[in-house]
Amino acid sequence: MAHKSKTFKIITYGCQMNERDSEMMSDMLEAVGYEHAQNIEEADVIIFDTCCVREKAENKVYGKLGQIEKLKSANPNLIIIVAGCMVQQLGAAQKLRERAPYVDIILGPQNLSELPHLIQKVLEKRETHIYVEEHGKLNEEKLPKRKARGAQAFVNIIYGCNNFCTYCIVPYVRGRERSRQPEHILNEIKDLVEKGVIEVTLLGQNVNSYGKDLEQKVNFAELLKKVNEIEGLKRIRYTTSHPRDFTPELVETISGLDKVCEHVHLPVQAGSNRILELMNRGYTREHYLELVASLYEHIPGISITTDMIVGFPGETEEDFLLTLDLVKKVQYDNAFTFMYSPRKGTKAATLPDQIPLEEKKARLKALMELQNEISLAKNEAMVDQEVEVLVEGPSKNNPNNLSGRTRTNKLVIFEGDKELTGKLVPVKITRAQTWQLRGEICRA
Ligand code: SAH
Ligand code: SF4
Ligand code: F3S
């Protein structure tokens, strides 16, 4: 009888760090003989790679886990794993055991490399394993060589975060900053380029902190210079930038490096100095606006995106108006806007004057309306321009069209052969919408 391989399915929530973690888990499982399952019903192993940055993210996971329980009753050999940030919160693993006792493995983000070993243990002896050590042994350099997945790749440069913004759970679940050795990063990118990658996104909660913890002193600007030298690589992106640590040296470096894309994700969070201070962000609105002015001046055509939180404890109408005012001044290309969500264990969750939900909703709506107007106007200004697009494949919403991104990270939809996937093509913008552009391929 033909041997049937075991299969797995990973469901990923949260940010790019989690996407990259999921890829690592996928590579680890493939290295021990597992294959991707076509759909979740057929999988022998189901992994949830979770997020807990806001309460909503956690609720989604519990909702989905409830559905999976049925699969487990139908197939007792199914292995269910909950990994990711959610389980690393204080007391979360215990809570999960109580609410979802059918989960076999609970695995924190700093302990990913334990995955194959823990699955083996469950197979040998069906009992639950919890592995959420805070200073885990994840060592990316010791994992099986990574697979390339198309023309784009995420590359970790620094793990964890030291900033402790008062609303944020990330430092608690991802631990302190740990930079990867520059040669490991460069070798990984060179290897990816050999496998067909032309665009990399360098990842860190705060890429501007890169290198501070390394013995051999190298900073983010120096790393970018080295990555820029890699032959065959066409585009370099990086996220996330912290406005406090974005130095003039870095602005200058970026403006001089041809592969570094004209886009920066620069989360501002709020426009009022009082709120920024309560958030422990370490910069003022004046500093931020100066930085933005310098970016616009030195990097022509740069697009700037951001994250913003409305309804932080104590945020008055006046504070909020300062956020709206800042948005008008900066003219963001796009913004991710969130209602403040109290996270247990963070400082802000204990602050007085929590803002009522209705108020948060009203502020979010006003902010989104303003930003949508600006996004549309900025996109309209691109009509008739010719831009370079990296084709990502058939468009999700119109599979007969292709979609891809400009160097400024704007989504463009256009007609073309799907053979162009992974290629850079010149596209003329024909129509603008709030969230995307329409275009046609320029014929030579
Ligand atoms: N390291 C990045 C991103 C962290 S999480 C940074 O420093 O910006 C992504 C975004 O989620 C944050 O930028 C913030 O806007 C939002 N966020 C984080 N904690 C939140 C909370 N408790 N409630 C609402 N939004 C939050
Ligand atoms: Fe969270 Fe602030 Fe760190 Fe970003 S910089 S991960 S918002 S603590
Ligand atoms: Fe990312 Fe969510 Fe963790 S935003 S770092 S997956 S809490």
Side-chain angles (χ1 to χ4, degrees):
M1 211 172 80
H3 168 76
K4 186 182 168 297
S5 296
K6 295 235 177 207
T7 62
F8 69 96
K9 185 92 191 161
I10 306 181
I11 302 161
T12 308
Y13 302 87
C15 64
Q16 293 101 325
M17 328 282 152
N18 260 19
E19 282 183 43
R20 178 66 198 117
D21 285 353
S22 291
E23 288 180 355
M24 286 193 247
M25 289 195 278
S26 173
D27 286 350
M28 277 186 262
L29 290 182
E30 286 186 69
V32 294
Y34 278 81
E35 287 175 8
H36 284 275
Q38 293 297 327
N39 54 54
I40 197 164
E41 285 78 20
E42 286 171 12
D44 299 294
V45 173
I46 301 175
I47 303 177
F48 293 88
D49 199 2
T50 63
C51 171
C52 58
V53 77
R54 285 168 291 276
E55 196 183 352
K56 228 166 138 185
E58 284 194 63
N59 292 344
K60 272 197 226 160
V61 174
Y62 275 109
K64 193 81 188 171
L65 266 174
Q67 298 168 16
I68 298 301
E69 188 177 8
K70 293 191 205 92
L71 293 179
K72 181 86 174 184
S73 341
N75 170 17
N77 290 326
L78 173 65
I79 296 180
I80 300 178
I81 301 171
V82 183
C85 295
M86 184 180 121
V87 303
Q88 193 69 53
Q89 298 170 96
L90 204 62
Q94 212 46 47
K95 180 174 149 200
L96 186 63
R97 279 203 80 162
E98 283 156 23
R99 283 183 65 174
Y102 45 89
V103 169
D104 298 287
I105 297 171
I106 298 175
L107 185 64
Q110 301 175 58
N111 301 283
L112 286 188
S113 24
E114 296 301 312
L115 179 68
H117 164 71
L118 291 178
I119 291 182
Q120 196 51 40
K121 270 169 95 173
V122 172
L123 287 172
E124 281 160 15
K125 201 164 158 215
R126 288 222 66 108
E127 53 185 32
T128 310
H129 292 277
I130 303 185
Y131 215 99
V132 290
E133 253 178 69
E134 211 184 315
H135 305 287
K137 313 178 195 109
L138 172 63
N139 185 345
E140 208 169 322
E141 324 320 332
K142 292 210 172 123
L143 295 182
K145 259 220 167 147
R146 69 180 285 189
K147 265 194 355 196
R149 296 163 166 82
Q152 295 160 287
F154 290 132
V155 175
N156 285 320
I157 64 166
I158 178 168
Y159 313 102
C161 183
N162 288 358
N163 285 318
F164 291 95
C165 302
T166 55
Y167 50 81
C168 186
I169 193 76
V170 172
Y172 299 90
V173 294
R174 291 263 169 182
R176 292 300 67 71
E177 287 173 356
R178 291 149 347 255
S179 300
R180 285 178 77 192
Q181 293 294 340
E183 55 276 17
H184 289 151
I185 297 168
L186 296 168
N187 287 340
E188 179 168 311
I189 299 174
K190 284 177 196 156
D191 179 55
L192 286 165
V193 170
E194 270 170 32
K195 292 169 176 162
V197 166
I198 58 173
E199 176 186 293
V200 292
T201 305
L202 308 179
L203 293 182
Q205 295 298 343
N206 175 7
V207 291
N208 307 105
S209 268
Y210 176 74
K212 286 184 188 159
D213 58 318
L214 292 177
E215 247 168 64
Q216 174 198 357
K217 283 290 164 239
V218 45
N219 65 24
F220 182 55
E222 287 157 349
L223 180 71
L224 280 176
K225 284 184 200 160
K226 291 191 174 135
V227 177
N228 198 71
E229 283 166 15
I230 296 177
E231 232 174 281
L233 184 67
K234 304 282 191 221
R235 288 176 166 191
I236 303 167
R237 300 187 184 283
Y238 51 94
T239 198
T240 298
S241 300
H242 195 298
R244 180 198 57 213
D245 302 328
F246 210 113
T247 58
E249 180 209 0
L250 185 59
V251 177
E252 204 188 308
T253 302
I254 288 172
S255 75
L257 296 176
D258 59 325
K259 294 178 186 171
V260 177
C261 290
E262 295 75 27
H263 166 233
V264 57
H265 185 61
L266 197 62
V268 68
Q269 312 300 356
S272 137
N273 284 338
R274 200 178 66 83
I275 298 296
L276 286 172
E277 178 148 8
L278 285 172
M279 288 178 162
N280 191 30
R281 288 291 288 178
Y283 54 86
T284 59
R285 70 183 262 125
E286 291 76 21
H287 168 89
Y288 187 92
L289 288 169
E290 264 174 45
L291 173 59
V292 165
S294 153
L295 286 165
Y296 279 138
E297 185 191 330
H298 291 97
I299 307 168
I302 192 171
S303 74
I304 304 181
T305 56
T306 200
D307 295 345
M308 284 180 283
I309 299 175
V310 299
F312 185 84
E315 185 187 69
T316 62
E317 187 64 23
E318 253 182 329
D319 292 318
F320 176 62
L321 289 175
L322 284 164
T323 297
L324 292 182
D325 179 71
L326 180 131
V327 167
K328 281 184 204 150
K329 290 199 162 88
V330 175
Q331 295 284 307
Y332 291 110
D333 290 85
N334 196 357
F336 298 94
T337 50
F338 309 106
M339 284 190 277
Y340 169 70
S341 169
R343 305 280 67 209
K344 222 171 108 197
T346 63
K347 190 160 172 214
T350 64
L351 289 178
D353 303 324
Q354 298 284 330
I355 307 298
L357 181 64
E358 284 315 308
E359 191 56 46
K360 286 189 207 170
K361 280 188 182 163
R363 288 180 191 172
L364 186 69
K365 183 161 174 277
L367 182 57
M368 285 170 74
E369 279 171 7
L370 171 63
Q371 180 52 48
N372 287 349
E373 265 174 45
I374 297 170
S375 296
L376 182 60
K378 288 200 98 171
N379 283 347
E380 277 169 347
M382 290 185 64
V383 172
D384 289 335
Q385 279 182 27
E386 193 182 312
V387 289
E388 176 201 272
V389 172
L390 172 53
V391 184
E392 291 178 359
S395 154
K396 279 201 190 88
N397 299 326
N398 339 256
N400 293 326
N401 285 319
L402 296 176
S403 75
R405 285 185 185 266
T406 63
R407 285 176 60 103
T408 54
N409 208 33
K410 289 181 188 271
L411 189 65
V412 189
I413 314 288
F414 53 98
E415 276 178 25
D417 192 328
K418 54 176 191 310
E419 299 285 303
L420 290 172
T421 301
K423 301 249 164 21
L424 294 170
V425 295
V427 173
K428 187 175 159 185
I429 303 304
T430 53
R431 195 151 59 88
Q433 294 168 305
T434 308
W435 300 103
Q436 64 187 35
L437 299 160
R438 292 275 169 165
E440 43 194 52
I441 298 181
C442 305
R443 310 277 163 205

